[in-house]
């Protein structure tokens, strides 16, 4: 297979243009997605506290269920991008359709679980007697949208693999706008209350899925790719995604353990922790945009057999991650007098929050490296290593975090443990990146 070469002096600039062209729209799409829940919360919040509490519990369950299957986007991006790099657009689209069919099957299975078990799931979250009925109503209706949500994840992976991050941005903005309009119309105009909010979100999600499917189908027809489900292809998608599922579950376990430890520290600590975790997630969106660009571009380079280009791009993206982390960390420090009062006016919570906030700021360059290398290895299809690395990270973080209350550590110590977690991830990812074992060229790994 021919190896593509570029002039050394042009390569960094070319790589920067490639990264920016994909990362900026990806960031917009990442930020737009969480606005669904925010819009629902703003609209339902005016119905009453029990309704808002019910929405919060149901939304947490739905978000967890969908985030577990984020591998549908990651694995599909890498597989499609490889085939794009190899010049086989027909196989790329066919691979993407297998991912979408897998998403539909998984979505139907999740709905089959959620509908009958909704009351039990809500009860496990300790919902009050007044909030529980609203939570069950919202969960059962919104669960009907899970197949659409998962198809959106897989289709997003297809589009990104085709080196297009603008379409997901436009679809996310359109979906958010439609969601808000439908929620207002159904909650207040039709008088459906919290059920109207759930139906509005479901309809918006299926509209987004329909737009994505139209784009993919058009591409399939243009390249004479079949749209029929292929059992072997669907199984291959599931096998490629399984290690990333392990990685995601391990990361979710780390975040749940951190929250549980913060809850044991006291009310002020858990309140401050939730603020920090929300900020950490927002900052992760910015850095993850570079990682998404990495998934798409690295996969394309390896599909084309350009391992030298992939290595150079990896180095360039790590620099972007470090610089991005430094800038975000500095912004956190400088802007803390502005945004902290937006979250809390309790002086006890503020005093608990501020030292830990500085730890979060200091850790951002490490986060930048981690998110970038995570995206690079995902783009290379190195999911098995990512799974083992995250399991190792979980094994290191768990005892460190659980011992904190016993040793008298507070929230700041917990966020040092979170930083330790990110440093372990950085060490394992850098070790893999330097080894070069992820550089497997070809249309398939």
């Amino acid at each position: 297979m021919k190896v593509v070469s570029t002039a050394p002096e042009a390569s960094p600039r070319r790589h920067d243009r490639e990264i920016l062209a994909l990362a900026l729209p990806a960031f917009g799409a990442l930020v737009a997605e969480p606005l669904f829940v925010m819009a629902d919360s703003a609209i339902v919040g005016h119905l009453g506290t029990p309704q808002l509490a019910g929405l919060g519990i149901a939304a947490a369950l739905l978000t967890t269920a969908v985030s577990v299957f984020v591998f549908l986007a990651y694995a599909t991006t890498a597989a499609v991008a490889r085939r794009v790099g190899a010049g086989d657009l027909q196989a790329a689209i066919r691979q993407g359709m297998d991912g979408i069919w897998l998403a539909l099957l998984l979505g139907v299975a999740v709905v089959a679980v959620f509908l009958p078990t909704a009351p039990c799931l809500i009860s496990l979250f300790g919902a009050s007697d007044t909030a529980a009925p609203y939570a069950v109503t919202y969960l059962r209706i919104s669960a009907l949208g899970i197949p659409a949500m998962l198809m959106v994840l897989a289709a997003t992976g297809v589009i990104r693999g085709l080196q297009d991050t603008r379409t997901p941005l436009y679809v996310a903005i359109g979906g958010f706008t439609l969601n808000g309009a439908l929620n207002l119309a159904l909650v207040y105009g039709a008088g459906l209350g919290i059920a109207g909010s759930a139906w509005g979100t479901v309809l918006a999600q299926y509209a987004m899925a329909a737009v994505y499917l139209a784009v993919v189908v058009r591409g399939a027809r243009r390249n004479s790719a079949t749209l029929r489900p292929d059992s072997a292809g669907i199984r291959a998608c599931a096998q490629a995604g399984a290690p990333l599922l392990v990685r995601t579950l391990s990361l979710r376990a780390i975040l749940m353990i951190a929250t549980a430890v913060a809850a044991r520290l006291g009310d002020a600590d858990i309140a401050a922790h939730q603020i920090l975790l929300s900020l950490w997630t927002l900052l992760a969106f910015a850095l993850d945009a570079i990682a998404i660009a990495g998934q798409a571009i690295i996969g394309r380079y390896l599909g084309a057999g350009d391992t030298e280009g992939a290595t150079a791009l990896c180095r360039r993206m790590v620099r972007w991650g470090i610089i991005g982390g430094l800038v975000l960390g500095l912004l956190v420090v400088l802007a803390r007098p502005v945004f902290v009062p937006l979250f809390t006016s309790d002086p006890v919570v503020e005093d608990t929050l501020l030292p830990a906030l500085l730890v979060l700021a200091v850790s951002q360059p490490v986060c930048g490296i981690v998110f970038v290398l995570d995206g690079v290895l995902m783009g290379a299809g190195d999911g098995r290593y990512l799974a083992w690395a995250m399991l190792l990270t979980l094994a290191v973080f768990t005892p460190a975090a659980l011992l904190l209350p016993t040793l008298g550590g507070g929230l700041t110590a917990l966020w040092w443990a979170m930083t330790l977690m990110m440093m372990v991830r950085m060490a394992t990812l850098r070790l893999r990146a330097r080894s070069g074992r992820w550089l497997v060229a070809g249309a398939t790994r």
Side-chain angles (χ1 to χ4, degrees):
M1 186 173 290
K2 183 179 179 180
V3 177
V4 180
S5 62
T6 56
E9 65 274 13
S11 182
R13 289 194 297 273
R14 183 170 67 88
H15 288 157
D16 288 346
R17 286 194 297 271
E18 285 184 301
I19 294 167
L20 275 175
L22 292 177
L24 290 178
F27 173 67
L30 287 169
V31 172
E33 289 171 7
L35 295 178
F36 270 85
V37 176
M38 291 179 63
D40 287 2
S41 299
I43 293 169
V44 171
H46 291 285
L47 295 174
T49 300
Q51 289 91 333
L52 184 59
L55 169 67
I57 295 168
L61 280 165
L62 289 164
T63 301
T64 300
V66 173
S67 65
V68 164
F69 297 107
V70 73
F71 71 85
L72 289 166
Y74 294 159
T76 306
T77 298
V80 171
R82 274 185 175 270
R83 285 160 176 79
V84 169
D88 192 347
L89 287 177
Q90 184 184 78
I93 297 290
R94 190 168 61 246
Q95 177 77 37
M97 283 306 305
D98 291 335
I100 292 172
W101 280 111
L102 175 62
L104 178 60
L105 293 173
L106 290 173
V108 171
V110 174
V111 172
V113 172
F114 266 34
L115 289 181
T117 62
C120 295
L121 292 171
I122 296 300
S123 178
L124 287 174
F125 266 67
S128 67
D129 292 338
T130 54
Y134 296 111
V136 171
T137 297
Y138 190 90
L139 180 59
R140 277 184 166 156
I141 296 172
S142 294
L144 298 175
I146 289 177
M149 291 189 231
L150 298 191
M151 284 193 290
V152 165
L153 283 177
T156 301
V158 178
I159 303 300
R160 288 173 179 167
L162 294 170
Q163 314 299 296
D164 175 11
T165 56
R166 291 182 180 273
T167 298
L169 172 61
Y170 299 148
V171 175
I173 293 173
F176 168 70
T177 304
L178 180 61
N179 178 63
L182 287 172
N183 270 255
L184 287 171
L186 296 174
V187 171
Y188 297 113
L192 296 180
I194 194 170
S197 175
W199 280 118
T201 301
V202 168
L203 292 173
Q205 287 158 350
Y206 275 100
M208 292 171 66
V211 172
Y212 274 125
L213 287 175
V215 173
V216 175
V217 168
R218 187 170 65 246
R221 288 174 176 169
R222 187 183 301 122
N223 294 281
S224 301
T226 180
L227 299 173
R228 294 192 301 271
D230 176 67
S231 57
I234 293 172
R235 282 197 303 272
C237 288
Q239 290 170 356
L244 295 179
L245 176 61
V246 173
R247 168 202 167 275
T248 301
L249 289 173
S250 300
L251 179 57
R252 297 293 301 183
I254 287 170
L255 298 179
M256 289 176 65
I257 289 169
T259 300
V261 169
R264 291 173 61 187
L265 296 174
D267 289 347
D269 295 87
I270 185 61
H273 176 74
Q274 287 304 112
I275 296 170
L276 289 166
L277 199 57
S278 299
L279 179 61
W280 188 80
T281 303
L282 178 63
L283 298 175
F285 283 143
L287 297 171
D288 215 25
I290 307 174
I292 287 172
Q295 291 174 33
I297 303 173
I298 289 292
R300 192 186 83 229
Y301 272 51
L302 293 179
D306 187 0
T307 55
E308 290 184 6
T311 303
L313 182 71
C314 176
R315 288 196 297 265
R316 194 70 180 173
M317 292 182 70
V318 168
R319 293 192 188 98
W320 275 71
I322 295 172
I323 294 170
L326 287 170
V327 171
L328 290 175
L330 184 60
L331 285 175
V332 168
V333 174
L334 295 177
R336 71 186 189 280
V338 177
F339 69 78
V340 169
L342 297 176
F343 288 98
T344 181
S345 58
D346 187 334
V348 178
V349 174
E350 286 190 14
D351 290 343
T352 306
L353 172 67
L354 290 175
L357 186 64
L358 294 177
V359 176
L360 181 147
V362 168
S363 70
Q364 287 311 296
V366 175
C367 293
I369 296 172
V370 168
F371 290 133
V372 164
L373 290 179
D374 216 29
V376 166
L377 296 184
M378 283 183 190
D382 205 11
R384 183 166 297 185
Y385 181 84
L386 290 172
W388 283 110
M390 190 60 78
L391 286 171
L392 173 64
T393 304
L394 176 61
V396 173
F397 174 79
T398 300
L402 294 179
L403 283 173
L404 284 176
T406 304
L407 298 175
L411 186 68
T412 302
L414 175 60
W415 276 86
W416 277 119
M418 290 285 286
T419 303
L420 170 66
M421 177 268 292
M422 295 302 290
M423 291 180 70
V424 172
R425 289 185 68 187
M426 181 179 70
T428 57
L429 295 173
R430 285 182 68 89
L431 181 66
R432 187 65 166 181
R434 289 177 176 176
S435 73
R437 294 179 181 177
W438 56 280
L439 291 165
V440 180
T444 58
R445 183 175 172 82

